[in-house]
Amino acid sequence: MVNKVNSQESTEQKQTNGEQLPSSNSVQPEVGRPEAQNQESNDTYRLKQGAITIGSALLGLLAFLFILFIATSNPYTRDLTKEKRFSLSEFTIKTVQSIKEPVQFTIFLSDSDSENRQRYDEVFKNFREIKGNKFTFKYVDPRKQPVLAKTLGYNKVMGDISIKCGKKTERIYDVTEDGIVSALISITSTKSSQIHFLTGHGERAAEQANESISKLRKALLDEGYKVENLSLSDKDSIPDAVSNLVIVAPKLALTDREKKMLTQWLDKGGNLFLALDFDSPTDYDWLCAKYGLAIPSEIACSPRTVEYGVAADVSYNQQSPITKGMAGIPCIFKNARPVYKANQDDKNAKVDPALEQLELVSTQGLSVIFNIKDFMNALKNQTPLETRPINRPIPLVQTVERTIPKTKEELKADTEKAKEGVDADKLGKDKKARAIFVGDADFMSNEFFDTAQSVNKDLTMNLFSWLGNSGSEMAMRSKNTNSQPLIISSREFWLTAILLCLCLPGSLFFYGVSVAVGRKRS
């Protein structure tokens, strides 16, 4: 009884203080009460949040447009692709910087063809940015300026590009980095050296398929060399005009007469490039011995690729400009024969002071050696191949500089000049002939010449540059790529830009506005 009285008093006390007791019957708040004020404050809060959201979206859009304006007015590009796809190669930069005379590019293109104009601008952009370039670019519309176009050599092909250096003119048909560099070399080259390929002994020909060296020949022509074949069958001596002789994978031996002709030519200072194949005859051992080298009838390869006879993991001599910068990049050799120094295991062997030998490319780490006869028998009889591991690098490419002593006539002429008071330093020095020996011809064949992710092309072209004393042209020419970019037109680009920069942000903006308005109404 006492509890009920206390409960009633407590209830009356709460009502007197203005507190609302909970009830099972819901009562709508009246105006002026705290619940109505809370509802009103919630609506105000939502309205403010909506305004802040809309304002933030507008400020973000304005900031984006401002950054886009700055980026457009002050363009700065950086090539982040792994293969540096959108940057010029080291060889291209060196080629452009070596050009001393002004070069005029004339692009014959209609003024209304904005799409091709933009494409050409993108191609030539990197060339314009090379420090020290002497290039000028000019667009000519043949329809509006027919007289000027004819004067500049327009050949009635819209989109044609003509380059002029001094009195020489060249056309660009391949509007790519390689095509432009090829035309530049052709128009500015002052090379007099020629590359002669020996024929008549089953050497590699340009007409064969994968074993062909047609890509090599084209690359030499593109870099300004004059490439010709040389047959000794109808000659009594090698012409004096031949300065660089290349022998690629001969299948037949030289005759005694040809050996005599070749020896006389080498003793006069001729440069030699010899690339033997695994089935080349041993008759060329005398030629290797002349330069203090030996190429045995063996094949060297990597342990994991014995069944293919391939050596790809190789090391490069970083002291030579030929292979500098190639470290860590594979070079594919197939059935490559070792190129050793003669008597390399004989510690008492005398070194010929007239020969400067250099191991250029070698196998890396543990290698495998097997005899060529065993290899041929295993292929023929389908039997296991006997191999032996070699725990040391095996040289595959060697270069040699050979000092050619002066002839009696030259020594007599020097004596006469010395009597006349000419300093000994001005009498001239002994000649130095160069030679390259490679135990594999496949490394520069079409099959591997421009293989992606390898330096076969760079190594081969640098070897030829060194052979012809063109040291300034030794560089990494190619940018190896293993992916293909998505090419879109200017119309597709602007449609994509409008979709990403306007439509998508705009749709998000209006969606936010609609959500804010809907909340306000509720």
Side-chain angles (χ1 to χ4, degrees):
M1 189 69 179
V2 175
N3 292 339
K4 290 183 178 179
V5 172
N6 292 338
S7 176
Q8 186 175 359
E9 289 177 357
S10 176
T11 302
E12 290 175 354
Q13 182 68 27
K14 289 181 179 180
Q15 290 176 347
T16 305
N17 294 336
E19 296 183 14
Q20 180 66 34
L21 293 175
S23 174
S24 59
N25 298 326
S26 60
V27 180
Q28 294 295 330
E30 297 179 5
V31 178
R33 292 196 175 189
E35 288 76 4
Q37 293 176 359
N38 291 338
Q39 183 67 30
E40 184 179 355
S41 64
N42 288 337
D43 292 341
T44 304
Y45 174 76
R46 289 172 182 159
L47 184 61
K48 288 182 179 179
Q49 290 299 317
I52 292 173
T53 302
I54 295 172
S56 300
L58 288 173
L59 287 175
L61 181 60
L62 290 174
F64 173 76
L65 293 175
F66 180 68
I67 294 173
L68 186 62
F69 171 75
I70 294 176
T72 305
S73 304
N74 303 276
Y76 173 76
T77 58
R78 186 175 181 180
D79 190 353
L80 299 178
T81 58
K82 181 180 179 181
E83 303 90 354
K84 298 300 178 183
R85 182 187 297 278
F86 303 105
S87 304
L88 297 179
S89 66
E90 178 189 350
F91 177 74
T92 297
I93 295 173
K94 283 187 176 182
T95 300
V96 172
Q97 291 176 339
S98 66
I99 299 174
K100 305 302 181 183
E101 298 183 47
V103 179
Q104 170 71 52
F105 287 77
T106 304
I107 303 102
F108 300 102
L109 199 65
S110 173
D111 292 341
S112 60
D113 193 352
S114 58
E115 185 172 335
N116 277 325
R117 191 183 185 103
Q118 179 183 356
R119 182 169 67 89
Y120 287 172
D121 285 341
E122 288 293 330
V123 172
F124 289 116
K125 178 183 177 182
N126 289 333
F127 284 88
R128 290 191 181 100
E129 294 175 351
I130 297 178
K131 292 182 180 180
N133 79 83
K134 293 179 172 57
F135 297 159
T136 55
F137 298 86
K138 183 178 184 180
Y139 284 92
V140 175
D141 189 342
R143 298 172 183 173
K144 295 182 179 179
Q145 300 173 292
V147 178
L148 176 61
K150 186 176 181 180
T151 303
L152 295 174
Y154 177 57
N155 63 351
K156 298 182 180 181
V157 177
M158 196 65 73
D160 185 28
I161 300 177
S162 173
I163 59 174
K164 185 177 181 181
C165 181
K167 296 182 179 180
K168 297 176 66 176
T169 303
E170 189 75 22
R171 296 194 178 280
I172 298 176
Y173 300 100
D174 179 18
V175 191
T176 61
E177 178 183 346
D178 291 341
I180 295 170
V181 172
S182 176
L184 287 172
I185 291 174
S186 178
I187 198 173
T188 60
S189 177
T190 58
K191 288 180 182 174
S192 58
S193 59
Q194 295 179 326
I195 303 293
H196 285 82
F197 285 83
L198 187 66
T199 60
H201 310 87
E203 296 88 351
R204 291 285 174 93
E207 293 76 19
Q208 296 169 333
N210 287 338
E211 295 182 352
S212 169
I213 54 172
S214 59
K215 290 183 178 180
L216 168 61
R217 286 173 177 265
K218 183 181 183 302
L220 290 171
L221 290 170
D222 288 343
E223 292 197 8
Y225 291 95
K226 294 181 179 179
V227 181
E228 296 182 6
N229 292 332
L230 176 67
S231 175
L232 301 180
S233 60
D234 57 345
K235 293 180 176 60
D236 296 327
S237 63
I238 297 178
D240 293 336
V242 178
S243 56
N244 304 299
L245 183 62
V246 183
I247 307 175
V248 183
K251 297 292 187 290
L252 302 175
L254 295 170
T255 64
D256 292 338
R257 186 175 63 86
E258 290 174 333
K259 288 181 181 180
K260 183 179 179 181
M261 292 165 55
L262 184 56
T263 301
Q264 292 175 347
W265 176 79
L266 291 172
D267 290 341
K268 290 181 181 179
N271 297 325
L272 176 69
F273 191 134
L274 177 64
L276 296 179
D277 218 342
F278 74 94
D279 57 351
S280 295
T282 57
D283 184 72
Y284 292 85
D285 290 348
W286 70 272
L287 195 53
C288 300
K290 189 178 182 67
Y291 289 86
L293 300 175
I295 303 181
S297 298
E298 297 176 332
I299 294 177
C301 64
S302 304
R304 58 188 179 88
T305 55
V306 173
E307 57 182 323
Y308 305 107
V310 172
D313 300 328
V314 296
S315 59
Y316 308 93
N317 191 324
Q318 294 300 305
Q319 302 302 316
S320 171
I322 302 174
T323 50
K324 187 177 181 180
M326 294 184 182
I329 309 177
C331 186
I332 303 174
F333 292 85
K334 183 179 179 182
N335 298 328
R337 296 167 64 175
V339 184
Y340 294 119
K341 293 179 181 178
N343 303 320
Q344 64 170 358
D345 297 327
D346 185 359
K347 296 181 180 180
N348 297 322
K350 295 182 179 180
V351 179
D352 189 347
L355 300 176
E356 297 179 24
Q357 302 164 328
L358 183 65
E359 294 183 1
L360 202 65
V361 182
S362 305
T363 58
Q364 196 174 53
L366 181 66
S367 304
V368 172
I369 286 284
F370 49 88
N371 188 274
I372 292 179
K373 289 184 178 179
D374 295 339
F375 173 65
M376 300 296 289
N377 290 332
L379 287 178
K380 183 178 180 180
N381 302 322
Q382 297 296 314
T383 56
L385 179 64
E386 294 185 6
T387 63
R388 68 178 189 274
I390 302 292
N391 194 19
R392 58 181 171 82
I394 300 174
L396 304 178
V397 181
Q398 296 237 25
T399 59
V400 184
E401 279 192 310
R402 178 167 167 258
T403 302
I404 308 298
K406 293 182 179 181
T407 62
K408 293 181 179 180
E409 290 75 12
E410 291 173 335
L411 291 173
K412 184 178 180 180
D414 288 346
T415 303
E416 295 296 331
K417 291 179 180 180
K419 291 179 180 179
E420 296 174 0
V422 179
D423 294 338
D425 296 337
K426 298 181 180 180
L427 293 177
K429 299 179 180 180
D430 294 336
K431 295 180 183 179
K432 282 194 175 184
R434 294 183 168 184
I436 299 169
F437 291 84
V438 186
D440 176 39
D442 288 312
F443 92 101
M444 58 184 180
S445 65
N446 288 356
E447 185 177 5
F448 303 118
F449 184 71
D450 52 1
T451 304
Q453 304 303 324
S454 73
V455 292
N456 286 56
K457 178 179 179 180
D458 296 305
L459 174 61
T460 304
M461 298 306 294
N462 282 358
L463 286 172
F464 277 97
S465 296
W466 179 84
L467 189 72
N469 265 314
S470 302
S472 60
E473 295 177 10
M474 295 184 200
M476 298 290 283
R477 291 160 170 79
S478 57
K479 299 187 293 293
N480 299 316
T481 58
N482 56 6
S483 60
Q484 294 296 326
L486 176 63
I487 307 299
I488 62 175
S489 64
S490 60
R491 181 173 177 271
E492 293 170 335
F493 169 79
W494 285 112
L495 286 175
T496 305
I498 292 172
L499 176 64
L500 295 178
C501 300
L502 294 179
C503 295
L504 186 58
S507 62
L508 293 175
F509 171 75
F510 287 112
Y511 174 74
V513 171
S514 64
V515 171
V517 172
R519 288 179 177 177
K520 182 179 179 182
R521 289 178 179 176
S522 62

